[in-house]
């Protein structure tokens, strides 16, 4: 559920709301975002320089608002695309119908190509898709994309992987962001898996974790660490996020007892 403090999950068992994994990770500073946001504004001006120049004279306030929001529009569009790709991935695995979506289909083709490359048998090799996991002790929950057996062990022995799909229209398929290993560590170490009827089941015994970077013309599976080091870092981010969500928005001003306005000042 969306709240003014970001996304939280309701616990079907009736416990406290659980902060989402992505919400917790939003507390981590991302220095690259500032120049990226500035670049989105610059791109908007470059795309229509004459119109921008005219509007800078005729309606500067409105133009400024739009340029400031340019990165948010791009982020919302990218998030919407990612959601649709995830929905298409579920339909692919379940062999279910999915409405025609030309923007999504290139990613679905690459995902299907990856499944063929690894000779994934959906009935035999896939344990779960788009499944929520919870860690009530540490107060968080998140949704994993794919739990799949792959022949990556010694002598081709199958190992259970937890894989997160990552889509981008422009980034190369080699990109890994600093917080992504923490995200997978949070999902991997959550002890409870939530079944469709909202009952609990033990977490699946994940052996390895990775990102499946999907692009319109390529795909790449990248293994990322998700051990105790990454999990402890995620828990620190969770504590930081909770502090920020509950911190007061204003603090008391302290004055000496003799200053006007001081509650300790005695009436003359």
């Amino acid at each position: 559920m969306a709240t003014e403090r970001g996304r939280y999950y309701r616990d079907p068992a009736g416990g406290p709301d659980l902060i989402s994994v992505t919400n917790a990770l939003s507390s981590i500073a991302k220095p690259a975002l500032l120049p990226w946001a500035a670049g989105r504004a610059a791109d908007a001006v470059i795309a229509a320089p004459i119109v921008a120049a005219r509007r800078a004279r005729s309606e500067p306030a409105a133009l400024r608002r739009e340029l400031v929001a340019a990165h948010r529009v791009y982020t919302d569009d990218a998030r919407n695309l990612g959601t649709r790709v995830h929905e298409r991935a579920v339909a692919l695995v379940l062999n279910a119908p999915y409405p025609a979506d030309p923007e999504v289909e290139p990613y679905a083709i690459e995902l299907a190509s990856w499944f063929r490359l690894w000779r994934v048998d959906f009935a035999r090799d896939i344990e779960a898709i788009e499944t929520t996991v919870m860690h009530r002790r540490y107060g968080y929950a998140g949704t994993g994309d794919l739990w799949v057996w792959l022949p990556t062990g010694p002598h081709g022995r199958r190992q259970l992987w937890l894989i997160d799909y990552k889509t981008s229209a422009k980034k190369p398929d080699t990109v890994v962001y600093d917080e992504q290993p923490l995200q997978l560590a949070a999902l991997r170490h959550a002890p409870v898996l939530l079944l469709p009827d909202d009952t609990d089941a033990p977490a699946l015994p994940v052996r390895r974790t990775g990102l499946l970077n999907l692009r319109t013309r390529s795909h790449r599976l990248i293994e990322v660490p998700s051990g105790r080091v990454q999990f402890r870092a995620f828990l620190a981010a969770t504590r930081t996020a909770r502090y920020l969500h509950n911190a007061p928005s204003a603090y008391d001003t302290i004055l000496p007892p003799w200053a006007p306005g001081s509650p300790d000042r005695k009436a003359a």
Side-chain angles (χ1 to χ4, degrees), residues 36-203:
W36 173 81
R40 297 307 307 180
D43 290 343
V45 173
I46 293 169
I50 296 175
V51 173
R54 289 172 179 168
R55 293 188 63 199
R57 292 192 298 269
S58 62
E59 46 179 346
L63 176 62
R64 185 181 189 279
R65 284 194 300 270
E66 291 178 20
L67 293 178
V68 168
H71 73 285
R72 289 196 293 270
V73 173
Y74 179 86
T75 300
D76 290 344
D77 290 346
R79 185 179 295 115
N80 177 267
L81 174 62
T83 298
R84 285 151 48 212
V85 170
H86 280 68
E87 292 170 351
R88 181 68 178 90
V90 171
L92 176 65
V93 171
L94 298 180
N95 195 27
Y98 187 84
D101 191 335
E103 191 178 12
V104 166
E105 203 55 27
Y107 299 96
I109 291 172
E110 290 299 326
L111 177 58
S113 176
W114 181 81
F115 282 132
R116 288 194 301 272
L117 174 68
W118 284 92
R119 301 177 181 175
V120 174
D121 182 301
F122 293 164
R124 179 195 65 201
D125 299 327
I126 294 181
E127 289 284 352
I129 54 173
E130 290 295 324
T131 301
T132 297
V133 297
M134 299 186 298
H135 204 314
R136 293 187 175 101
R137 177 183 174 187
Y138 292 119
Y140 75 83
T143 300
D145 293 340
L146 176 69
W147 284 259
V148 60
W149 294 92
L150 298 177
T152 51
H155 310 293
R157 189 177 70 244
R158 298 199 313 159
Q159 296 178 316
L160 185 61
W161 283 72
L162 170 57
I163 291 174
D164 196 69
Y165 306 133
K166 298 297 182 185
T167 59
S168 176
K170 294 186 177 182
K171 297 292 184 182
D173 61 16
T174 55
V175 168
V176 177
Y177 293 108
D178 292 340
E179 70 274 9
Q180 288 171 342
L182 279 60
Q183 176 189 3
L184 281 165
L187 299 173
R188 177 182 184 179
H189 291 279
V192 172
L193 186 147
L194 194 62
L195 298 177
D197 62 357
D198 284 344
T199 58
D200 293 359

